[in-house]
Amino acid sequence: MPHFPLFVNLQGQRALVVGGGKVALRKVQKLRPYGPAICLVAPQICDELMKMDGVSLRPRAFQVSDLRPRPALVIAATDDFEVNREIAALCKKRHIPVNVVDDPENCSFQFPALVHRGELSAGISTGGASPAAAVYFKERFQALLPEGIEQMLDWLEEQRPILKREIPEQSRRAAAFRRLFSACLEKGAPLTEQEAALCLEADIKPVGSVALVGAGCGRADLITVRGLELLKQCQAVVYDDLIDPALLDAAPETALRVYMGKRSGSHSARQDEINQKLIELARMGYRVVRLKGGDPYLFGRGGEEMLALKAAGVPCQEVPGICSPIGISAEAGIPVTHRGLSRSLHIVTAHTSDTPDGLPRDFDALAALDGTLVFLMGLEQLPRIVSRLMAAGKGGETPAAVLSGGNSTHPAQVRAPLSEIEEAVRRSGVSAPAIILVGRVAGLNLND
């Protein structure tokens, strides 16, 4: 069972160390940088401990009275197992944290492999399983620390009261601290007053913004690097159904999370409500990420959101994502273009509001195309799509596939000739959202 890491303020607190040898010396050396009042009890005390400033020495055997006044912690570091065990029992009876050297079963806390650089303190523990592994990871961690981290942390601590006064709202203040820290890391040193003011200008006089970020179509790691960085720095994230929920963990804990579901056949927010929410959050000063499944500009109404934001004077940007025609097809092992089979890709909506049957006006022309056809939002329209394509000349033997993947609640892959795909889908029970793919590449499965 792993140990819970807990950081304790030992400044001025009484710490009792029982033992006067090399092991006790190492424990005292670990404790001293954290400012406790160390009392050391042992009949024999090594020269290094005798010469150490700031340690109260009692050159005698341990007595129960040494536990008064009550210490913040006790370390039993004698070479007598029974004495150590007795000290542990006395401490546990009094609910005093105790560490017994080389005896994990009698410890109520353990010393981690410590990293201490100025105000930075880190502890690494393997729960006693392998001290050598803990030391290995400590050394790796130390190697990652930038030069001058002590000075940076001291400077950041000085900025806390300033930011608390200037930015009362907690989530915005947390984001400001992250920006200051990032700027320090990039510079490799504390910022000047002018650099800090420039870095915080947008926070003290907040001007919100919105980024329409394509989350990709599938697992969280399909998001772009730019999209992920914006998500990590946002103050509010507005999301819908077709994203990997793990992406929300990348947003700061302090960020607002606003669900605006949009899925066929389910209750969802109207587009004008989503537009207004984005504008409202930006005008409150938030840096907003509008997280959209797939790509915002491919039948994702990202263009409508961008126009609404620009009309409201909100700074905004779009970050592309992997769209479902490409991502879901690839997930199924189907390349949407392939030499000798398909030299073009045509992405078509199956829901057009200005035609009687909801299909595009030039739909019949699609049947004559030799490339790959991908229909979005078309599962309910599948019978009409098949009928119209075949009536316009598309051969019934043409390979077809209906694919429900990415973050669908019921992933499925159905493949059949165009003339048989409707019945195959009915038997399989595929549910929306799904894409319909028609073309010779649908006969491929590069995952096999």
Side-chain angles (χ1 to χ4, degrees):
M1 179 68 69
H3 287 68
F4 180 77
L6 184 69
F7 290 89
V8 179
N9 182 6
L10 290 179
Q11 185 67 39
Q13 299 293 311
R14 184 168 181 263
L16 176 64
V17 179
V18 184
K22 298 296 184 183
V23 175
L25 174 64
R26 289 200 301 272
K27 300 295 185 183
V28 169
Q29 289 171 332
K30 286 187 175 184
L31 284 173
R32 287 186 77 204
Y34 299 93
I38 299 174
C39 175
L40 185 138
V41 179
Q44 296 181 329
I45 302 173
C46 68
D47 290 343
E48 291 95 328
L49 284 168
M50 292 290 289
K51 297 174 183 177
M52 193 173 287
D53 293 332
V55 178
S56 174
L57 302 177
R58 296 180 182 178
R60 56 167 174 77
F62 168 77
Q63 300 173 3
V64 177
S65 61
D66 290 322
L67 298 177
R68 297 189 299 269
R70 187 180 188 278
L73 58 85
V74 173
I75 298 167
T78 77
D79 56 6
D80 188 321
F81 175 80
E82 291 302 325
V83 171
N84 288 348
R85 192 170 183 180
E86 176 190 356
I87 293 169
L90 289 168
C91 288
K92 290 178 181 179
K93 185 177 180 180
R94 292 162 172 77
H95 304 290
I96 300 172
V98 61
N99 174 265
V100 182
V101 173
D102 292 332
D103 189 2
E105 290 185 3
N106 280 302
C107 292
S108 60
F109 78 93
Q110 291 188 349
F111 270 78
L114 286 167
V115 177
H116 179 234
R117 297 269 291 272
E119 292 298 314
L120 184 144
S121 184
I124 300 169
S125 170
T126 60
S130 174
V135 171
Y136 168 80
F137 288 112
K138 166 189 170 179
E139 291 171 351
R140 294 290 298 271
F141 178 65
Q142 284 177 317
L144 292 173
L145 293 176
E147 291 295 325
I149 187 65
E150 300 96 325
Q151 292 77 22
M152 293 183 220
L153 292 176
D154 288 343
W155 180 81
L156 288 166
E157 186 176 23
E158 293 172 4
Q159 306 310 304
R160 290 187 66 84
I162 299 172
L163 264 65
K164 194 169 184 179
R165 182 179 66 250
E166 297 288 345
I167 310 175
E169 202 273 306
Q170 196 272 338
S171 63
R172 286 180 42 232
R173 188 166 65 244
F177 270 121
R178 286 193 296 274
R179 253 187 315 286
L180 283 179
F181 178 62
S182 296
C184 284
L185 285 180
E186 186 174 347
K187 181 181 178 181
L191 305 184
T192 65
E193 185 174 341
Q194 184 177 6
E195 289 169 337
L198 187 62
C199 187
L200 296 175
E201 184 177 7
D203 295 284
I204 295 174
K205 297 178 180 178
V207 177
S209 63
V210 177
L212 308 181
V213 175
C217 198
R219 293 179 303 182
D221 57 4
L222 287 179
I223 194 171
T224 63
V225 173
R226 182 190 301 176
L228 185 60
E229 286 304 308
L230 288 168
L231 186 59
K232 287 179 178 179
Q233 297 172 29
C234 76
Q235 296 165 308
V237 54
V238 179
Y239 65 100
D240 50 34
D241 294 280
L242 296 178
I243 65 164
D244 186 336
L247 278 171
L248 297 178
D249 295 335
E253 287 185 14
T254 54
L256 294 177
R257 286 161 171 78
V258 182
Y259 171 69
M260 302 291 276
K262 285 189 73 63
R263 175 170 286 186
S264 175
S266 303
H267 172 75
S268 62
R270 298 196 316 270
Q271 188 60 51
D272 60 336
E273 291 177 344
I274 297 173
N275 295 350
Q276 189 55 43
K277 176 58 72 173
L278 296 176
I279 293 167
E280 174 188 318
L281 290 170
R283 285 178 172 169
M284 291 170 64
Y286 288 104
R287 283 189 311 282
V288 183
V289 164
R290 168 69 167 120
L291 200 58
K292 300 173 73 72
D295 180 274
Y297 282 175
L298 183 67
F299 298 123
R301 297 192 175 178
E304 295 176 40
E305 293 174 8
M306 185 65 78
L307 287 173
L309 292 166
K310 287 184 176 294
V314 174
C316 47
Q317 63 174 303
E318 190 268 354
V319 180
I322 297 174
C323 60
S324 60
I326 294 172
I328 300 300
S329 300
E331 188 177 60
I334 300 174
V336 290
T337 62
H338 190 77
R339 186 159 56 173
L341 295 180
S342 172
R343 293 181 175 84
S344 62
L345 169 65
H346 310 273
I347 302 171
V348 186
T349 177
H351 280 282
T352 300
S353 60
D354 59 353
T355 62
D357 62 3
L359 298 178
R361 291 187 183 281
D362 56 354
F363 187 88
D364 290 354
L366 297 171
L369 297 173
D370 193 37
T372 304
L373 304 178
V374 178
F375 298 92
L376 303 185
M377 301 169 286
L379 193 57
E380 293 180 358
Q381 290 275 65
L382 181 60
R384 186 170 286 121
I385 291 170
V386 171
S387 174
R388 289 279 305 270
L389 284 175
M390 293 180 64
K394 181 69 75 176
E397 75 286 354
T398 305
V402 173
L403 310 171
S404 179
N407 293 305
S408 171
T409 53
H410 302 288
Q413 298 178 13
V414 179
R415 302 164 190 259
L418 182 61
S419 61
E420 301 173 17
I421 192 67
E422 182 184 348
E423 178 59 29
V425 167
R426 185 181 299 112
R427 289 196 307 269
S428 69
V430 179
S431 60
I435 68 169
I436 300 165
L437 190 148
V438 179
R440 286 186 289 169
V441 292
L444 298 175
N445 186 348
L446 301 187
N447 292 335
D448 286 345

